[in-house]
């Protein structure tokens, strides 16, 4: 079965799907995106992802391409047409097509909208989670507005590639003061010596991950103690557990940082239980 993409109003086979070379997403990464998990054919946390999309668009003064209702329909239809049971949904909104000129295009330029969906092997992801992943650390050299989910991800691309070359699954960015900000495509967490969940506040330096928000809610509902504060690599190395969160990873245990094992070098019980219970707290669509 050929995969189908939604591109600016039409559902087209992936191999025919194309955008204009003057699309500002292509020219300037003048675009925002979202990635949602699809589980048993349903979109996970759609409402929160669309809320964050609206915020990203607002911060960049990109008009919404379609109404939230129409977008919801397109998302579901893309999942349906691709017959995705377990997988990922990707959506990107760009400032549209215009002659290359840095300043905004004329008012009325139509924003671009692309939606794709693909299946993923859930059993394989579970096997990865059972082993846990290694992370490396790299200097955070990104711009200040990483709270906006833009497609300007080249620093993240280089960080993730460095991780891959080091045999690791993720790179953690470190800010100028020596604190972990987040992963190349995930939020970073530890379980402190005292058993407290620690993750950086979402006010500065990170993307407010939807998975992060849901894990915070799940932890609070389970009576676990959470501290939203920055932490250093040294604290992470001495921690009981570490993990990352993202729509693509859910809760993924981290077992090594820069080659040094965390605790006994195995996924910790809290990380495993938060992963197992994540979907109790997530909003699962129809
Ligand atoms: N990335 N931080 C960064 C830099 C991210 O790119 C992501 C997700 C997150 C976690 O956000 P959420 O829990 O809402 O997925 C944090 C997506 C999955 C990606 O780029 O593929």
């Amino acid at each position: 079965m050929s995969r189908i993409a939604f591109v600016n109003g039409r559902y087209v086979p992936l191999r025919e799907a194309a955008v204009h070379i003057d699309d500002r997403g292509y020219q300037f990464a003048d675009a925002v995106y979202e990635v949602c998990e699809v589980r048993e054919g349903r979109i996970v946390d759609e409402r929160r992802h669309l809320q964050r999309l609206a915020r990203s668009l607002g911060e960049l003064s990109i008009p919404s391409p379609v109404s939230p209702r129409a977008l919801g329909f397109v998302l579901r239809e893309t999942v349906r047409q691709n017959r995705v049971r377990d997988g990922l949904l990707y959506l990107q909104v760009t400032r549209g097509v215009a002659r290359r000129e840095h300043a905004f295009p004329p008012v009325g330029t139509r924003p671009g909208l692309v939606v794709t969906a693909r299946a993923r092997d859930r059993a394989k992801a579970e096997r990865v989670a059972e082993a846990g992943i290694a992370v490396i650390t790299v200097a955070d050299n990104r711009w200040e507005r990483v709270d906006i989910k833009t497609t300007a991800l080249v620093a993240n691309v280089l960080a993730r590639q460095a991780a891959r070359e080091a045999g690791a699954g993720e790179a953690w960015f470190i800010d100028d003061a020596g604190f972990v900000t987040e992963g190349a495509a995930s939020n970073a967490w530890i379980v402190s010596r005292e058993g407290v969940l620690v993750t950086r506040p979402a006010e500065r330096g990170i993307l407010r991950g939807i998975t992060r928000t849901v894990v915070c809610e799940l932890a609070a509902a389970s009576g676990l103690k959470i501290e939203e504060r920055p932490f250093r690599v040294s604290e992470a190395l001495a921690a009981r557990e570490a993990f990352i969160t993202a729509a693509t990873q859910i809760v993924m245990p981290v077992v090594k940082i820069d080659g040094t094992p965390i605790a006994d070098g195995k996924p910790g019980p809290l990380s495993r239980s938060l992963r197992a219970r994540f979907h109790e707290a997530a909003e699962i669509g129809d």
Side-chain angles (χ1 to χ4, degrees), residues 201-257:
E203 275 64 51
R204 268 197 75 232
I206 69 165
L207 179 77
R208 188 185 289 275
I210 304 301
T211 320
R212 176 190 178 283
T213 301
V214 173
V215 167
C216 283
E217 288 182 9
L218 178 61
S222 314
L224 297 166
K225 205 161 165 235
I226 310 176
E227 280 174 15
E228 290 191 52
R229 61 164 175 85
F231 62 87
R232 292 177 191 277
V233 177
S234 53
E235 189 180 359
L237 286 170
R240 280 192 196 172
E241 301 182 27
F243 61 90
I244 59 172
T245 55
T248 47
Q249 311 275 345
I250 313 176
V251 174
M252 178 59 69
V254 169
V255 293
K256 228 187 236 180
I257 303 174

